[in-house]
Amino acid sequence: MLTTTAALTATASKLTSPNQISPRFSFTFRENNNRIAVPKSSTTQRSKLSAGFPALRVSASSQSAPASAEASKVTVLPSEMKAWVYGEYGGVDVLKFDTKVAVPELLEDQVLVKVVAAALNPVDFKRRQGKFKNTDSPLPTVPGYDVAGVVVKVGSKVKDFKEGDEVYGDINEKALEGPKQSGSLAEYTAVEERLLAPKPKNLDFAQAASLPLAIETAYEGLEKTGFSAGKSLLVLNGAGGVGSLVIQLAKHVFGASRIAATSSTGKLELLKSLGADLAIDYTKENLEELPEKFDVVYDAIGQCDKAVKVVKEGGSVVALTGAVTPPGFRFVVTSNGAVLKKLNPYLESGKVKPVIDPKGPFPFSKLVEAFSYLETNRATGKVVIHPIE
């Protein structure tokens, strides 16, 4: 398997795309005491999903997080790092932990980030399963899109960041088109500066890592539907990683007049706490029988056939997964640090809050378990990996 330093270095030397480089990362998690608990799941769900774990929490602070030890500059960079790697497509069993992966080379427009926390997304396991292998970068792969960490080195053309800066972002500009061979589930990763933003001052690294791909997807989807102040919105899977942020952005950034969202019974109070005016229990209510229709339906679960039946005439339906039924449409998010910078004030004011699944954060050594849990489709908010060490 090509996971040794020599093998990955040899592979990297042959690559011409900036997305195809060798791996890098490092994790450490700091508890944030400024969090509020949101309602627990139903008894049945809680026994299955979060027994022995703390209640789901969302950040509610607009105060700066204390200065972190991770922000101290790294003076001597290693040539090798710890990382999770897979050399073939498949299930979680193809993931291997390697302690001798080459730290990625830095391009002139990139910064090298010492990873403190990362988060998992459905695109991570779909990529590992080979769902878009025709447009993927070459194997072996260090997976991971979301990152929060500290800049330890900058390329010659980098202007906005310096060593010691705390940053976060989605490291892959195009999620399905040649994503980086060396991702964020490692001690170091190399990222173009345009894909990053300063970490919100009030969030710790685990909270920040939970946001980039999901919040950019939520924002871009709302923009593409033409959503604007005064419009109504229905979010399918409002308690998920993207859905929980769609609710908050629609309310606080776009000025929605009315927001409805679906979830299972035990998560209805969470929907309300995030800003939903109407929380719909999908286990008890039939979408097609709702007495009202909406200007926009944001389908974050794969039920476009039902979504199109509750949208107003001339309205928009965006579907993130599953079959698309007209007039619904699908898009693939483009990573953009400028979007994160635009949304930072809403995060720092506490109006928009990250939602992290109560089973997490998972330590770096438990990545296989974290992926297995994510792939049950039962997670609330985001599954975060921390610390990476």
Side-chain angles (χ1 to χ4, degrees):
M1 174 177 288
L2 296 178
T3 56
T4 63
T5 302
L8 274 181
T9 303
T11 302
S13 68
K14 298 177 183 178
L15 302 176
T16 57
S17 166
N19 288 338
Q20 298 174 6
I21 52 179
S22 36
R24 256 182 145 177
F25 249 57
S26 136
F27 261 52
T28 314
F29 179 74
R30 183 177 63 256
E31 288 292 336
N32 186 335
N33 295 321
N34 298 313
R35 293 176 176 178
I36 58 171
V38 298
K40 301 177 181 178
S41 306
S42 65
T43 303
T44 301
Q45 289 175 320
R46 186 166 176 78
S47 65
K48 291 181 179 178
L49 302 185
S50 53
F53 293 89
L56 173 70
R57 298 179 184 275
V58 296
S59 169
S61 172
S62 59
Q63 302 299 313
S64 297
S68 66
E70 292 86 5
S72 59
K73 292 185 179 180
V74 176
T75 55
V76 180
L77 295 174
S79 59
E80 296 177 339
M81 63 180 183
K82 300 171 186 174
W84 283 91
V85 183
Y86 57 87
E88 60 181 320
Y89 293 116
V92 293
D93 56 304
V94 302
L95 289 162
K96 308 298 180 186
F97 187 68
D98 196 326
T99 61
K100 294 185 178 296
V101 175
V103 170
E105 296 294 326
L106 199 62
L107 302 181
E108 59 187 10
D109 64 339
Q110 294 180 329
V111 300
L112 187 65
V113 177
K114 180 178 184 290
V115 182
V116 178
L120 305 185
N121 296 280
V123 69
D124 286 296
F125 67 75
K126 291 177 182 178
R127 180 188 183 189
R128 192 197 68 233
Q129 292 167 349
K131 296 290 180 66
F132 55 96
K133 59 185 176 183
N134 290 337
T135 58
D136 198 2
S137 55
L139 296 171
T141 296
V142 173
Y145 285 66
D146 286 327
V147 65
V150 179
V151 174
V152 293
K153 187 177 180 181
V154 299
S156 60
K157 292 189 177 180
V158 170
K159 298 178 181 179
D160 295 336
F161 297 111
K162 63 183 184 303
E163 291 181 23
D165 284 348
E166 299 181 352
V167 297
Y168 76 129
D170 169 4
I171 71 169
N172 293 309
E173 187 166 17
K174 299 293 184 182
L176 307 182
E177 300 173 22
K180 289 181 173 62
Q181 188 180 22
S182 182
S184 60
L185 291 166
E187 289 186 290
Y188 295 90
T189 196
V191 194
E192 291 77 11
E193 71 167 333
R194 68 180 180 276
L195 306 184
L196 296 172
K199 180 179 73 66
K201 296 180 178 62
N202 59 313
L203 302 185
D204 60 33
F205 284 100
Q207 292 168 323
S210 74
L211 290 166
L213 189 149
I215 203 168
E216 290 174 342
T217 300
Y219 183 84
E220 188 174 342
L222 287 169
E223 275 205 324
K224 286 184 178 296
T225 64
F227 197 76
S228 58
K231 290 188 176 182
S232 60
L233 172 72
L234 171 63
V235 184
L236 304 187
N237 192 22
V242 173
S244 60
L245 291 164
V246 172
I247 293 171
Q248 296 181 79
L249 295 185
K251 183 179 183 69
H252 298 292
V253 180
F254 288 84
S257 61
R258 179 169 171 78
I259 302 172
T262 68
S263 76
S264 58
T265 309
K267 299 176 183 178
L268 296 176
E269 291 304 316
L270 169 61
L271 300 184
K272 295 176 183 178
S273 74
L274 295 174
D277 301 294
L278 175 64
I280 302 167
D281 187 341
Y282 72 80
T283 70
K284 298 178 180 178
E285 299 185 56
N286 190 335
L287 276 184
E288 292 94 328
E289 297 176 358
L290 288 177
E292 63 180 305
K293 295 187 183 297
F294 303 86
D295 294 305
V296 170
V297 181
Y298 201 120
D299 174 19
I301 194 64
Q303 296 180 338
C304 191
D305 57 330
K306 295 181 180 180
V308 297
K309 295 179 181 178
V310 289
V311 68
K312 291 180 180 178
E313 185 174 352
S316 296
V317 176
V318 57
L320 296 185
T321 187
V324 176
T325 304
F329 70 92
R330 177 179 295 150
F331 76 99
V332 178
V333 66
T334 298
S335 177
N336 186 351
V339 171
L340 297 178
K341 291 174 184 176
K342 180 177 181 177
L343 297 177
N344 270 358
Y346 296 94
L347 292 161
E348 292 183 337
S349 69
K351 289 181 178 179
V352 177
K353 307 170 182 66
V355 180
I356 298 177
D357 188 90
K359 274 186 174 284
F362 287 79
F364 197 34
S365 61
K366 299 293 185 182
L367 183 70
V368 171
E369 289 86 343
F371 263 121
S372 296
Y373 175 57
L374 178 67
E375 292 173 42
T376 65
N377 293 319
R378 294 176 178 175
T380 300
K382 292 300 295 293
V383 174
V384 173
I385 307 299
H386 177 282
I388 292 185
E389 57 186 12

